[in-house]
Amino acid sequence: EMKARAPMSDSTYQHLCTLLVGFATLFRFIGWNMVNFIVESLVHSAHVRDPTSIINHAGYYGQAVKEIAGCLSAFFVPIVLNYLRPKWALVIGSGLFGFYIACFFHVNNYLYFIASALLGFANTLCYTAFFTQQMHYSNRQTLARNTAIVWSIANCCLLFGGGIYMFVASMHAQPVEEGVVQNYRFYSESETRWMCGLLFASCAVSIVMHACFPSRDVDNSVASEHPHEPLSLKRQVGAISSVLVNPYILMFIPRFLNHGLFLSFFTNVYPTTLQYSTILANKYPYLTAYYAFSMCAGTAVSGLIVTPLNRRFHDFGLRPLYYITIGVQLLTYTIATLTVPNWSTAKPTSDGAFIEPDLIWVCLVAFLLGFGDSTNTSSNTVICSRLIPGRASHTYSAARFYIGATASVIFFCSPWLTMRAHAAILTATTVISAISFNFAVKKVEKRDENKENETSFASEETIEEIDKY
């Protein structure tokens, strides 16, 4: 008779779940990141081929629509998670990601903006489900570590995405179409279909992997410490509305606004400058791939640094991790401002910069952006898991609301903002966020300490009562 297999230890199970989530997210992000990097130039190329098919600057406007839809979705996503486990929410979200990519096979205003709105819902759904899922297989001591590992694996998508970009670009070297004058990175119709076809395939792999995720929770998981409370539709909408104005959420608004601006900068604004700068686009035809590779290196290095520091220092995921992020952000904005043409954020230009645009500067900025994205996301996970006990999914949705609202405003304004304007806005919000963050964390720590003291006092009283008998 065969012996029963010994149950998997929590430590091994956490590592297995971390790897599975990391690779599933990797395949979803292959399409997500690469399309974000090139969407403004991609849609602009379609507009140049046929101005009646889609409006100019639809890339930025589509991103704004996506973020607005994401903000509105924050009211309803927690309701979805009442009825679906996080893994099934991620399956649905990944499917909508794939639909967005597929719309580039035939670009037009109606399809593109509808797909952008659905992508906004998918983004909020995946964002909330992703962090909620990690709470089920992580405890308080391992949450920051697991998040950093997942994010480092997921951002290896940039290696695969960059490889796809180089492969497709090499097949369509120097695309030329009649009547088109190219002074920026132009995408032919054939190149667009090849690129998006391969990116769509990666989303299909992600759907399968998310569907295969196990359902067991670890002992003392973050989710068990702060269990999710299912509410009715009316109470859910009321709950998320109340969370949006919860004092603990409001204290962290500068941090969420900074997150939204940083997200829009590294996913769209800065990569667009690489497409619209004549100097860079003509000199380095695979520049977007190099940008992706360098970002990947930054996220990988971040994971290698954060993991041991999180083990060594108590609550490293709170102040230390976020202040590292702040420093990286300020350095990045300075280098970016000095090394790309001022108007390359909004239109094709042959202008120079304070320092001659070059591959080395692009790779350095991309590395810092990748590093900062990883630390920023890990910090956000730790903060949101502790702000409102028992309301984790609502907290993530509220954070996503403020992050998305900020990004939508900057995307709508991007056709009129120069690199220096972007840098000034980003620097100001980063400094304000750094100042307010320490005050807000102190409030959270004091609340948690008081709660622990009350629990300890209640336990002591119970023991005294038992001793009397």
Side-chain angles (χ1 to χ4, degrees), residues 311-327:
R311 286 199 299 263
R312 183 170 181 179
F313 298 102
H314 177 67
D315 275 343
F316 179 77
L318 288 176
R319 289 187 188 83
L321 192 60
Y322 189 56
Y323 284 123
I324 289 173
T325 303
I326 292 293

Side-chain angles (χ1 to χ4, degrees), residues 22-86:
F23 282 105
T25 308
L26 180 152
F27 281 102
R28 185 174 79 248
F29 277 10
I30 288 175
W32 167 249
N33 282 328
M34 294 311 297
V35 170
N36 275 339
F37 291 164
I38 64 176
V39 64
E40 171 63 17
S41 184
L42 197 70
V43 175
H44 183 74
S45 299
H47 172 76
V48 169
R49 287 196 302 269
D50 181 8
T52 63
S53 65
I54 195 161
I55 62 174
N56 196 21
H57 290 303
Y60 278 139
Y61 295 142
Q63 293 296 302
V65 169
K66 176 201 73 178
E67 296 298 342
I68 291 173
C71 290
L72 297 176
S73 299
F75 290 92
F76 305 105
V77 162
I79 301 172
V80 175
L81 293 177
N82 277 350
Y83 304 100
L84 292 175
R85 288 193 66 87

Side-chain angles (χ1 to χ4, degrees), residues 38-50 56 165 174-177 179-188 191 271-285 288 343-344 346-350:
I38 64 176
V39 64
E40 171 63 17
S41 184
L42 197 70
V43 175
H44 183 74
S45 299
H47 172 76
V48 169
R49 287 196 302 269
D50 181 8
N56 196 21
Y165 185 93
Q174 297 180 344
V176 177
E177 298 193 14
V180 176
V181 178
Q182 299 168 35
N183 60 346
Y184 62 98
R185 180 60 173 90
F186 180 84
Y187 295 89
S188 68
E191 185 176 15
T272 296
T273 68
L274 312 183
Q275 312 284 312
Y276 278 166
S277 170
T278 300
I279 297 173
L280 291 172
N282 289 343
K283 192 174 181 181
Y284 306 106
T288 299
W343 273 108
S344 60
K347 62 184 180 180
T349 178
S350 58

Side-chain angles (χ1 to χ4, degrees), residues 360-371:
I360 186 64
W361 298 117
V362 172
C363 291
L364 176 58
V365 168
F367 179 89
L368 293 172
L369 288 172
F371 190 99

Side-chain angles (χ1 to χ4, degrees), residues 11 19 25 61 88 98 106 117 129 141 153 157 168 209 221 229 259 283 302 305 309 319 342 345 356 367 413 415:
S11 177
L19 291 174
T25 308
Y61 295 142
W88 295 117
H106 182 69
Q141 289 71 38
I153 294 172
C157 69
V168 175
M209 294 191 71
S221 67
E229 301 176 20
H259 192 149
K283 192 174 181 181
S302 172
I305 292 175
L309 290 177
R319 289 187 188 83
N342 195 34
T345 54
E356 181 69 19
F367 179 89
C413 297

Side-chain angles (χ1 to χ4, degrees), residues 167-455:
F167 170 71
V168 175
S170 65
M171 291 175 59
H172 300 81
Q174 297 180 344
V176 177
E177 298 193 14
E178 185 178 354
V180 176
V181 178
Q182 299 168 35
N183 60 346
Y184 62 98
R185 180 60 173 90
F186 180 84
Y187 295 89
S188 68
E189 187 171 1
S190 173
E191 185 176 15
T192 299
R193 290 183 176 181
W194 264 96
M195 188 88 67
C196 294
L198 293 173
L199 298 179
F200 178 82
S202 70
C203 279
V205 176
S206 174
I207 293 171
V208 174
M209 294 191 71
H210 279 305
C212 295
F213 192 83
S215 301
R216 170 190 151 195
D217 288 10
V218 299
D219 293 335
N220 300 318
S221 67
V222 178
S224 66
E225 290 183 4
H226 305 297
H228 177 70
E229 301 176 20
L231 302 175
S232 65
L233 174 61
K234 182 178 179 180
R235 291 183 65 195
Q236 280 281 17
V237 174
I240 190 63
S241 299
S242 65
V243 168
L244 286 173
V245 294
N246 183 284
Y248 287 100
I249 294 292
L250 295 179
M251 286 191 301
F252 284 93
I253 280 184
R255 190 253 181 273
F256 298 143
L257 299 185
N258 181 49
H259 192 149
L261 291 173
F262 182 66
L263 182 70
S264 63
F265 184 77
F266 82 79
T267 57
N268 291 97
V269 175
Y270 185 75
T272 296
T273 68
L274 312 183
Q275 312 284 312
Y276 278 166
S277 170
T278 300
I279 297 173
L280 291 172
N282 289 343
K283 192 174 181 181
Y284 306 106
Y286 304 133
L287 187 59
T288 299
Y290 301 147
Y291 175 79
F293 295 152
S294 299
M295 271 202 73
C296 182
T299 56
V301 170
S302 172
L304 293 173
I305 292 175
V306 168
T307 300
L309 290 177
N310 183 67
R311 286 199 299 263
R312 183 170 181 179
F313 298 102
H314 177 67
D315 275 343
F316 179 77
L318 288 176
R319 289 187 188 83
L321 192 60
Y322 189 56
Y323 284 123
I324 289 173
T325 303
I326 292 293
V328 170
Q329 288 177 339
L330 293 175
L331 177 61
T332 304
Y333 304 148
T334 302
I335 298 173
T337 304
L338 295 175
T339 57
V340 297
N342 195 34
W343 273 108
S344 60
T345 54
K347 62 184 180 180
T349 178
S350 58
D351 294 344
F354 290 110
I355 300 174
E356 181 69 19
D358 194 78
L359 177 62
I360 186 64
W361 298 117
V362 172
C363 291
L364 176 58
V365 168
F367 179 89
L368 293 172
L369 288 172
F371 190 99
D373 176 43
S374 181
T375 57
N376 200 28
T377 303
S378 298
S379 170
N380 195 56
T381 303
V382 174
I383 283 296
C384 288
S385 70
R386 295 179 61 172
L387 282 186
I388 307 177
R391 288 285 187 271
S393 63
H394 295 87
T395 304
Y396 289 125
S397 291
R400 188 69 190 86
F401 179 89
Y402 289 114
I403 291 169
T406 308
S408 67
V409 171
I410 209 70
F411 282 135
F412 270 125
C413 297
S414 286
W416 298 278
L417 293 177
T418 64
M419 172 56 75
R420 292 168 207 166
H422 277 289
I425 295 169
L426 288 160
T427 301
T429 55
T430 301
V431 171
I432 293 171
S433 175
I435 294 171
S436 66
F437 186 77
N438 185 58
F439 168 80
V441 170
K442 282 183 178 179
K443 290 286 186 181
V444 173
E445 289 176 332
K446 185 176 180 181
R447 181 203 64 187
D448 291 348
E449 183 180 348
N450 290 338
K451 185 177 179 180
E452 289 177 1
N453 290 338
E454 289 175 2
T455 303

